Amino acid sequence: MKKIGVYTSGGDAPGMNAAIRAVVRTAITSGIEIIGIIEGYTGMMSGEMEPLQLSSVANCLQRGGTILKTGRAPDFVKPEIRAQAAAKVKEAGIEGLVAIGGDGSFRGAHALWEEHRIPVVGVPGTIDNDIFGTDSTIGYDTAVNTALDALDRIRDTAASHNRLFIVEVMGRDSGFIAVDVGVAGGAEEVFIPENLVSIDRAIQHIQRGLARGKTSSILVAAEGQSPGRAYDLADQIRRKSGFEAKVCVLGHIQRGGSPTARDRILASKLGFAAVRALQAGQTDVMVGEVGGKLVTVPLLDCITKKKHVPNDLIELAQLLSH
Ligand code: ADP
């Protein structure tokens, strides 16, 4: 393999730059040319690509976002559009691709292999941690720490005013961030898509806390299908119990910021592993880390199987809220 391409796609995640850096430096030191494809599938379709050097990735490790830009290209679901993009990749002499993104990006990569026989290796980069085949995704640890920092600050003001707060974190289909933040931040209740708790139970928890002199209550809610779900929850709680809840929607601040050491290290390992996998002739796989070991998992599994929030963690969040 003489030349490979790398791109970031879908939602950005802190640590993507560390992954790009590892891909670039592993490739170049192995004698492989490396091309950066700009803005994910958008740049692949238009042929916006640029050769990357060792110096192209200097001073990016600590930066959030992605130096290659990312984007959403809804047209990429059309086979004829993918054929155009595949032609651009082949024209550029690219013999393999590293796709850094979430399951949507992996669907596109899987199709490029299936339909056009372009070797592809995926690197899981998404703050949601909802990718099957890896214990953690790049960006997740940073997002949890950012949300936790916000929750700690809210706890200060909640305790000073004897207030009830609902903090909404990201996680459309999965409650990984919410449960981690709930356990680490001592939330009284956690609302996640996987385990819908009733409003009545949340109210009981708040009352129980008040009865034994708690000065603040914080509920954590995953955003659900659209941001702002916490306002609905606050409304329901007010109507049923009279408790007035303040709402704080953390939103996009959870995406930005400097990646944690954990995310930088994971990204560095996975970027390295992705290039090694392509060199070894592997394709249509994702590189991940399970139990501290680097693994490769078929992309098809990553896009068809679901990773669930561990039940014992959900139970722990509930038990410790007593
Ligand atoms: P993520 O990769 O973070 O899950 P998206 O779901 O938005 O983000 O997917 C990123 C991009 O991947 C989409 O904008 C589209 O270009 C491409 N993509 C998503 N789903 C498919 C699909 N089923 N087939 C081909 N390409 C897809």
Side-chain angles (χ1 to χ4, degrees), residues 73-131:
D75 273 356
F76 210 72
V77 297
K78 298 178 191 158
E80 64 276 18
I81 297 288
R82 289 198 292 269
Q84 282 171 24
K88 298 270 188 207
V89 169
K90 288 179 182 172
E91 254 170 53
I94 293 171
E95 298 166 274
L97 290 170
V98 176
I100 305 170
D103 63 330
S105 304
F106 291 168
R107 280 174 215 278
H110 175 66
L112 286 170
W113 167 250
E114 286 275 292
E115 296 164 2
H116 303 286
R117 285 298 181 247
I118 298 173
V120 291
V121 172
V123 173
T126 164
I127 62 165
D128 289 338
N129 197 32
D130 57 348
I131 304 279

Side-chain angles (χ1 to χ4, degrees), residues 94-313:
I94 293 171
E95 298 166 274
L97 290 170
V98 176
I100 305 170
D103 63 330
S105 304
F106 291 168
R107 280 174 215 278
H110 175 66
L112 286 170
W113 167 250
E114 286 275 292
E115 296 164 2
H116 303 286
R117 285 298 181 247
I118 298 173
V120 291
V121 172
V123 173
T126 164
I127 62 165
D128 289 338
N129 197 32
D130 57 348
I131 304 279
F132 178 89
T134 186
D135 287 345
S136 183
T137 56
I138 297 165
Y140 168 56
D141 186 61
T142 306
V144 167
N145 279 289
T146 303
L148 182 61
D149 180 57
L151 189 129
D152 287 345
R153 288 163 193 260
I154 289 165
R155 177 78 74 186
D156 289 345
T157 177
S160 304
H161 290 274
N162 291 339
R163 271 191 181 142
L164 165 64
F165 263 88
I166 305 180
V167 177
E168 181 174 301
V169 300
M170 278 188 168
R172 189 155 298 179
D173 305 310
S174 82
F176 282 98
I177 296 179
V179 169
D180 273 6
V181 169
V183 171
E188 272 66 33
E189 190 58 273
V190 182
F191 295 92
I192 59 171
E194 294 88 338
N195 179 33
L196 291 173
V197 292
S198 71
I199 295 289
D200 291 334
R201 202 184 79 178
I203 292 169
Q204 275 171 19
H205 286 190
I206 298 163
Q207 284 167 334
R208 193 178 58 198
L210 282 176
R212 64 174 181 77
K214 265 193 168 182
T215 54
S216 66
S217 292
I218 297 192
L219 316 182
V220 173
E223 65 187 353
Q225 282 315 305
S226 56
R229 177 174 172 238
Y231 289 102
D232 289 344
L233 293 172
D235 202 39
Q236 290 182 50
I237 289 172
R238 186 180 46 75
R239 275 190 276 118
K240 282 200 161 186
S241 68
F243 290 132
E244 290 288 343
K246 297 271 177 202
V247 170
C248 181
V249 179
L250 298 185
H252 279 80
I253 65 157
Q254 293 160 96
R255 274 196 195 287
S258 184
T260 58
R262 225 184 151 98
D263 270 333
R264 296 184 205 189
I265 293 165
L266 177 67
S268 300
K269 285 182 183 173
L270 297 184
F272 161 82
V275 176
R276 288 286 181 262
L278 280 174
Q279 283 181 289
Q282 285 190 282
T283 179
D284 206 18
V285 292
M286 179 194 80
V287 289
E289 192 179 49
V290 175
K293 291 208 163 53
L294 294 176
V295 295
T296 52
V297 190
L299 275 183
L300 198 58
D301 284 353
C302 304
I303 58 189
T304 53
K305 296 186 181 171
K306 199 162 164 52
K307 181 164 87 177
H308 298 283
V309 176
N311 271 332
D312 50 2
L313 202 59

